[in-house]
Amino acid sequence: MKKLILVAVAIMTMTSSFASTENDKAGRFMEYFMNARNVEDYDMTFDTRRLAAKLDLTEEQMDAVEVIQNQFTNEMLSAANSHGFQRRAQVRQAVSNDINKMKMILNDKQFDSYMSLLITTLRNRHL
């Protein structure tokens, strides 16, 4: 009988230590996910003239792109101040708005180049 009680205590101890380890892992993952990025990662300011040269923009396109990029930067910085899933949703919304507005202004070749630049930037910043 004594051995049976000791085995039961040992099993319960091992089970509880395993469960606490799994909970710690889940907690650390959620903490990383909720606070993963710094505000600097969301700062999307850049030199508009370099983008204009890369995309071969006209003067009118350049003015419109500058306004759109200022809005995009403001939306991304607003998302940086949010947490967790709300942050992720705001980033997606900001990117979606930026893409839709840029698609109206740029021709197909310019838009393809812009998309490759945007995707690369977002991947490099882990967004």
Side-chain angles (χ1 to χ4, degrees), residues 19-33:
S20 68
T21 303
E22 289 300 314
N23 287 338
D24 289 345
K25 287 180 184 176
R28 284 184 295 205
F29 173 75
M30 286 307 291
E31 181 180 330
Y32 172 77
F33 181 73

Side-chain angles (χ1 to χ4, degrees), residues 10-82:
I11 289 174
M12 291 184 64
T13 305
M14 290 173 38
T15 305
S16 66
S17 68
F18 174 74
S20 68
T21 303
E22 289 300 314
N23 287 338
D24 289 345
K25 287 180 184 176
R28 284 184 295 205
F29 173 75
M30 286 307 291
E31 181 180 330
Y32 172 77
F33 181 73
M34 297 295 196
N35 302 315
R37 303 286 162 237
N38 297 325
V39 174
E40 295 85 30
D41 292 339
Y42 292 88
D43 186 10
M44 302 303 271
T45 57
F46 58 87
D47 186 8
T48 310
R49 299 214 181 272
R50 289 180 63 190
L51 180 67
K54 175 73 176 165
L55 299 178
D56 194 28
L57 298 178
T58 64
E59 195 67 34
E60 294 83 24
Q61 285 177 321
M62 192 168 137
D63 292 337
V65 166
E66 191 170 352
V67 170
I68 292 169
Q69 288 304 315
N70 287 336
Q71 292 172 349
F72 180 55
T73 300
N74 291 337
E75 289 175 3
M76 290 296 285
L77 290 175
S78 174
N81 295 323
S82 300

Side-chain angles (χ1 to χ4, degrees), residues 67-100:
V67 170
I68 292 169
Q69 288 304 315
N70 287 336
Q71 292 172 349
F72 180 55
T73 300
N74 291 337
E75 289 175 3
M76 290 296 285
L77 290 175
S78 174
N81 295 323
S82 300
H83 296 286
F85 295 112
Q86 183 179 8
R87 176 186 287 178
R88 189 176 189 114
Q90 286 182 348
V91 167
R92 286 182 186 214
Q93 185 65 39
V95 171
S96 177
N97 290 343
D98 184 57
I99 290 171
N100 291 334

